[in-house]
Amino acid sequence: MMFAAGLGIPVFAALNAALGQQLGGPVAATAVTFAVGFVIASAMLAFTGFPAASAFTFERPWLWIGALVMLFYATSVAFSAPRIGLGNAIFFVLLGQIVAAAIIDHFGLLGSIQSAITPKRALGLVVMAVGLYLARKPV
């Protein structure tokens, strides 16, 4: 499932960037993407069941930041991909994901399982970053 999700990231980036060009801006593309996603997710909830109203609390307000992160990603990729190329945009996304995942895991942030960065793991992260760099397209 996560491999399929990974395959979807550059597809989404390319489609959202093209939609941004068609609509005249990345914010418009992101708004349309979120609106369509909202309609589809709402239809899915109609079949799977809506959460109880009591679940919508702000006891842990940082949990709601995910929406802002997704908004930033969608708008950023719609803006950047047409300017620096899809491959380069995804290169920076993947590099950011590797760095953020390593930091989140190392400190056990945001409720994740703590997994320290050992020298072996650090070497693996560097190798991944170098591999991403070598796969990057020249602009």
Side-chain angles (χ1 to χ4, degrees), residues 99-115 121:
V99 170
I103 292 169
I104 290 168
D105 280 356
H106 181 75
F107 294 105
L109 302 174
L110 306 172
S112 71
I113 298 170
Q114 189 170 7
S115 178
R121 190 163 175 232

Side-chain angles (χ1 to χ4, degrees), residues 60-71:
R60 299 183 293 169
W62 58 88
L63 297 179
W64 300 88
I65 294 174
L68 295 175
V69 173
M70 191 61 215
L71 175 67

Side-chain angles (χ1 to χ4, degrees), residues 3-124:
F3 180 74
L7 292 173
I9 289 173
V11 172
F12 167 76
L15 293 173
N16 206 43
L19 184 59
Q21 289 181 313
Q22 178 179 321
L23 298 177
V27 175
T30 301
V32 169
T33 298
F34 275 57
V36 170
F38 175 76
V39 169
I40 293 170
S42 296
M44 292 170 67
L45 280 173
F47 288 103
T48 62
F50 290 91
S54 61
F56 292 91
T57 67
F58 291 98
E59 294 170 6
R60 299 183 293 169
W62 58 88
L63 297 179
W64 300 88
I65 294 174
L68 295 175
V69 173
M70 191 61 215
L71 175 67
F72 177 73
Y73 169 74
T75 306
S76 296
V77 77
F79 176 83
S80 300
R83 289 166 175 76
I84 65 172
L86 180 64
N88 287 333
I90 296 301
F91 159 75
F92 286 109
V93 168
L94 291 174
L95 187 59
Q97 287 177 335
I98 289 169
V99 170
I103 292 169
I104 290 168
D105 280 356
H106 181 75
F107 294 105
L109 302 174
L110 306 172
S112 71
I113 298 170
Q114 189 170 7
S115 178
I117 297 177
T118 63
K120 183 178 176 182
R121 190 163 175 232
L123 176 62

